[in-house]
Amino acid sequence: MAASSRKTLIEVEPLRTLEEIQEMKLAVQRGNKARPKRSDLAVRDRLLFTFGLNTGLRVSDIVKLTVSDVRGQDVMLIQEGKTKKPRQVVLTGIREEIANYTEGKDKDAWLFPSQKGHGPMTPTQVYRMLRDGGDWMGRHDIGTHTMRKTFGYHYYRRTKDIMKLADIFNHSAPSITKRYIGITQDEIQESLEGFKL
């Protein structure tokens, strides 16, 4: 295979500041096309991004949700698709956004419906939406894991509880979690700032 036809793997990074998070919320709502998104798609995409940031779920688990899975729920129990393990997901922080978004929607409707057909968005569609938002921001390190990594990064920064975060992510070791959220290099750099012998 010629080098020019190989796909380049990007290293997806968390959004490390609240300003980056707000900018990305606007970017996914806006899109990266010449014309603005339809208002229903803009609202859907912003909530999907907000939902991912606040739950730490994988995109493959998010797109399978229906309105009844989240409407009026403080805590949602799911079985993660990748690990097949049960997980309680706390929704209290985004309950108002969920209530506003689901108002008037059928309880059996997909939470994040595709605009193509009658099914849910696919992980590929979510990737394109996030990539377009990243392009608008001038960032090329945005992907489907951005939401999950951002959740983990900020959860760890607030709590410093890597054991609990590893449990939330169903990782086998805290070292995997630290590497996944990109915290290890940040901690090394912070520990060396001002270091002099």
Side-chain angles (χ1 to χ4, degrees):
M1 182 184 294
S4 61
S5 64
R6 286 188 194 138
K7 285 191 173 188
T8 304
L9 290 176
I10 60 165
E11 186 63 35
V12 174
E13 292 292 327
L15 300 169
R16 288 178 165 81
T17 68
L18 295 178
E19 291 78 18
E20 289 176 324
I21 291 170
Q22 289 307 317
E23 188 177 3
M24 187 64 182
K25 283 182 180 181
L26 292 173
V28 297
Q29 190 172 329
R30 180 198 177 281
N32 195 31
K33 306 295 181 209
R35 291 179 298 183
K37 280 185 185 177
R38 286 189 346 229
S39 63
D40 60 321
L41 298 180
V43 170
R44 177 201 67 185
D45 293 352
R46 183 178 175 111
L47 182 69
L48 190 151
F49 184 68
T50 301
F51 193 91
L53 286 178
N54 286 278
T55 63
L57 288 172
R58 290 178 181 86
V59 166
S60 57
D61 291 324
I62 293 172
V63 297
K64 294 176 189 172
L65 297 172
T66 64
V67 169
S68 64
D69 291 328
V70 299
R71 182 185 278 155
Q73 303 294 322
D74 287 332
V75 177
M76 170 182 72
L77 182 64
I78 69 160
Q79 181 175 333
E80 291 187 322
K82 183 176 179 180
T83 64
K84 305 296 183 215
K85 294 180 180 177
R87 176 166 167 213
Q88 285 190 339
V89 181
V90 177
L91 301 175
T92 52
I94 54 172
R95 189 169 179 185
E96 185 177 340
E97 289 95 330
I98 291 170
N100 291 337
Y101 175 78
T102 60
E103 185 177 341
K105 289 183 173 29
D106 184 272
K107 68 180 179 67
D108 296 322
W110 295 109
L111 187 60
F112 301 109
S114 173
Q115 63 178 339
K116 300 175 182 177
H118 299 290
M121 289 180 78
T122 65
T124 301
Q125 289 171 318
V126 176
Y127 168 73
R128 287 184 189 130
M129 177 265 291
L130 293 170
R131 184 196 60 205
D132 286 349
D135 286 348
W136 186 73
M137 288 174 61
R139 300 237 350 213
H140 304 289
D141 59 353
I142 304 293
T144 55
H145 283 266
T146 298
M147 298 176 293
R148 186 169 162 88
K149 286 186 175 192
T150 301
F151 167 87
Y153 181 87
H154 289 276
Y155 179 90
Y156 177 74
R157 292 303 240 177
R158 288 180 189 174
T159 67
K160 300 294 187 210
D161 193 339
I162 197 66
M163 297 297 286
K164 194 169 284 173
L165 182 58
D167 189 46
I168 291 169
F169 278 172
N170 281 319
H171 286 165
S172 59
S175 59
I176 294 168
T177 305
K178 274 191 168 185
R179 193 168 49 251
Y180 178 75
I181 63 174
I183 205 79
T184 307
Q185 190 57 44
D186 285 358
E187 285 183 333
I188 291 169
Q189 188 168 339
E190 286 173 11
S191 71
L192 292 174
E193 285 177 12
F195 182 83
K196 181 182 177 183
L197 298 174

